[in-house]
Amino acid sequence: MRKDTMVERRFSLIGPMLDERMRRLVAAAEAQVLGYGGASAVARQTGVSRRAIAIGMNEIKLAAPLSGSTGRVRKAGGGRKKATHKDPTLQRDLEKLIEPVTRGDPQSPLRWTCKSLRKLAAELKAQGHRVSYRVLGEVLEQIGYSLQANRKTTEGMSHPDRNAQFEHLNRRVTEELASGQPVISVDTKKKELVGDFKNAGRQYRPKGDPEKVRVHDFIIPELGRANPYGVYDIGKNLGWVNVGTDHDTSAFAVESIRRWWKSMGGILYPKAERLLITADGGGSNGTRVRLWKVELQKLAEELGFPIGVCHLPPATSKWNKIEHRLFCFITMNWKGQPLVSHEVIVQLIKSTTTAQGLKVDCQLDTNIYPSGQKVSDEALAQVNLQRDDFHGEWNYTISPRQQSLKL
């Protein structure tokens, strides 16, 4: 076996355990043993440069102490210099480009573009700096920068009585639950395109065989969209979703509550004396939507008992119970699954469960709900509505005008 091959084998065994100085000393010792041409052969087989081997030979010749006695591996000031050391103005010019204040500077070269490492490097090179985008990544890390996404923290203007409304709503919900009355949280989930479209998330499939979906998300006219309107029973931890195929109107919203009562609510609460609904302040169940109140009046007549409503204050829809106790789990359940038909959507919603006991029922609603329906002042005046003393526009009760049999 050739000597240089033996050197390569020995170095492959011991090399990973050596620090920088010991690597050059071992390589230098091997080179000296090989004699003439040994430095070149060892450099070729070990990857240690001839210059480092020469330094190691000189250290052996001078019998310099090992790193264990000095605590140092290389000479003071040795090693490759940092980019910011070789180019003192690099950090300053780099920070000028990425500082948030440059967003408001119309003359900033990166004002209207993505601040990628390559574009930052190109701009710095234009300013006379010699730096690669890879080195820029190291410099940014050294000075405390990292890749970060947007974070939703700024809520904008909030109503001065926002907290008071939450306390009022919580008090009402607690009282109704304690007395065994039904309390539901309602809302419309995000409208979904029906068809073989990409759905966020991943699911297990055979390797290299992802499910193929459309490149563009253009609506398929014959399939349309799905409008899932949800009803979440706060006391029982049960969900009901009515998947509509037409417009998301107040008539559709109240029909969803009606279907929940017929299929689930009436069975769970056979002795109910009233119903409390918590809802957002906008959309088909908004505080200012006349049709919402007119349709609730019809439902109250059918149920034969009052329906109380407490709206969440403005800009707080993410605190609606249904969002984080029902809708989020539906989204997780169908992640990565194309919603190819309304029937598939219904089955995926029905199969949603949690370890905390959530169960969901679902139904397809193919009824037509025309949009743009106007409610006259006379029709609104027929609603038997009693406003609460505290923010009556958010908290009110709609009672039947005459006693009716429960559904």
Side-chain angles (χ1 to χ4, degrees):
M1 183 179 290
R2 292 176 51 187
K3 291 183 179 181
D4 56 355
T5 305
M6 294 176 65
V7 170
E8 181 182 5
R9 292 186 62 188
R10 282 196 297 268
F11 208 82
S12 65
L13 293 172
I14 195 173
M17 296 179 283
L18 303 177
D19 60 26
E20 182 180 334
R21 188 182 186 209
M22 290 305 298
R23 283 173 62 86
R24 68 174 177 262
L25 288 176
V26 171
E30 293 283 2
Q32 284 188 346
V33 171
L34 291 176
Y36 180 77
S40 297
V42 172
R44 186 169 53 252
Q45 297 301 319
T46 64
V48 180
S49 70
R50 291 184 60 186
R51 181 175 180 275
I53 292 174
I55 293 174
M57 287 180 173
N58 190 51
E59 288 178 331
I60 293 174
K61 183 179 180 181
L62 298 175
L66 295 178
S67 59
S69 59
T70 64
R72 300 191 65 85
V73 173
R74 59 170 63 137
K75 293 180 179 179
R80 187 177 64 180
K81 302 297 184 292
K82 292 182 178 180
T84 52
H85 181 78
K86 293 186 290 186
D87 187 351
T89 62
L90 174 62
Q91 180 175 334
R92 181 196 65 192
D93 293 342
L94 175 59
E95 288 184 325
K96 282 184 179 180
L97 289 176
I98 58 179
E99 275 293 325
V101 294
T102 61
R103 298 175 190 164
D105 179 9
Q107 301 303 319
S108 171
L110 296 180
R111 174 65 178 86
W112 305 110
T113 187
C114 171
K115 298 175 184 176
S116 69
L117 290 178
R118 285 180 171 84
K119 290 183 179 179
L120 287 168
E123 179 56 31
L124 288 169
K125 286 178 181 178
Q127 296 180 19
H129 297 280
R130 298 181 60 184
V131 63
S132 69
Y133 72 91
R134 289 188 177 88
V135 172
L136 268 188
E138 297 174 1
V139 173
L140 285 170
E141 185 176 355
Q142 290 166 8
I143 62 179
Y145 281 83
S146 64
L147 288 174
Q148 302 198 30
N150 304 140
R151 179 179 295 176
K152 292 183 178 181
T153 55
T154 305
E155 296 185 11
M157 296 181 63
S158 63
H159 196 282
D161 290 335
R162 185 177 75 165
N163 188 61
Q165 172 61 9
F166 273 118
E167 292 178 351
H168 177 83
L169 188 152
N170 182 66
R171 185 167 53 254
R172 285 288 310 277
V173 170
T174 302
E175 291 172 354
E176 295 301 307
L177 291 177
S179 61
Q181 300 301 316
V183 181
I184 59 176
S185 171
V186 301
D187 196 12
T188 306
K189 195 180 185 300
K190 181 176 76 71
K191 298 174 179 62
E192 303 286 350
L193 285 174
V194 182
D196 53 342
F197 299 105
K198 178 179 174 59
N199 195 1
R202 297 181 292 179
Q203 59 176 302
Y204 282 105
R205 288 180 58 85
K207 191 172 182 179
D209 183 30
E211 188 156 358
K212 297 173 178 60
V213 295
R214 296 181 181 234
V215 175
H216 301 292
D217 292 346
F218 296 129
I219 189 170
I220 302 175
E222 57 271 25
L223 295 178
R225 291 186 174 87
N227 303 322
Y229 191 94
V231 178
Y232 175 70
D233 187 331
I234 297 176
K236 304 290 187 181
N237 191 28
L238 297 173
W240 163 266
V241 180
N242 191 35
V243 179
T245 59
D246 199 45
H247 297 96
D248 177 24
T249 66
S250 296
F252 169 64
V254 175
E255 174 62 21
S256 300
I257 299 172
R258 180 181 288 108
R259 292 187 176 206
W260 162 78
W261 181 261
K262 286 182 177 180
S263 64
M264 185 180 293
I267 300 172
L268 294 172
Y269 302 96
K271 298 181 180 180
E273 298 176 353
R274 53 191 176 273
L275 169 66
L276 178 62
I277 300 173
T278 64
D280 292 349
S284 57
N285 43 234
T287 57
R288 299 183 180 181
V289 182
R290 292 185 169 193
L291 186 59
W292 163 251
K293 297 179 176 64
V294 169
E295 292 294 331
L296 281 180
Q297 178 67 67
K298 296 178 183 177
L299 181 59
E301 300 285 351
E302 297 170 11
L303 299 179
F305 53 69
I307 300 175
V309 181
C310 288
H311 290 280
L312 275 72
T316 61
S317 60
K318 64 182 179 181
W319 277 285
N320 197 347
K321 292 287 186 184
I322 197 171
E323 295 288 347
H324 52 268
R325 290 196 180 178
L326 176 60
F327 287 164
C328 65
F329 296 114
I330 293 174
T331 301
M332 286 190 286
N333 189 55
W334 69 27
K335 64 181 180 180
Q337 175 68 50
L339 308 177
V340 296
S341 68
H342 288 93
E343 289 71 22
V344 167
I345 293 174
V346 170
Q347 292 305 317
L348 286 170
I349 293 175
K350 278 187 173 183
S351 63
T352 302
T353 58
T354 67
Q356 287 70 38
L358 173 68
K359 294 181 181 179
V360 187
D361 200 357
C362 185
Q363 189 179 87
L364 184 64
D365 186 349
T366 57
N367 290 338
I368 302 300
Y369 299 96
S371 61
Q373 287 188 302
K374 302 294 183 181
V375 175
S376 65
D377 293 340
E378 292 76 14
L380 183 62
Q382 295 300 313
V383 177
N384 186 14
L385 186 147
Q386 181 180 1
R387 300 183 183 276
D388 290 6
D389 294 335
F390 178 76
H391 278 286
E393 74 279 16
W394 296 343
N395 308 289
Y396 49 85
T397 300
I398 296 177
S399 303
R401 288 167 297 198
Q402 56 184 5
Q403 189 65 29
S404 302
L405 294 176
K406 296 182 180 180
L407 291 178

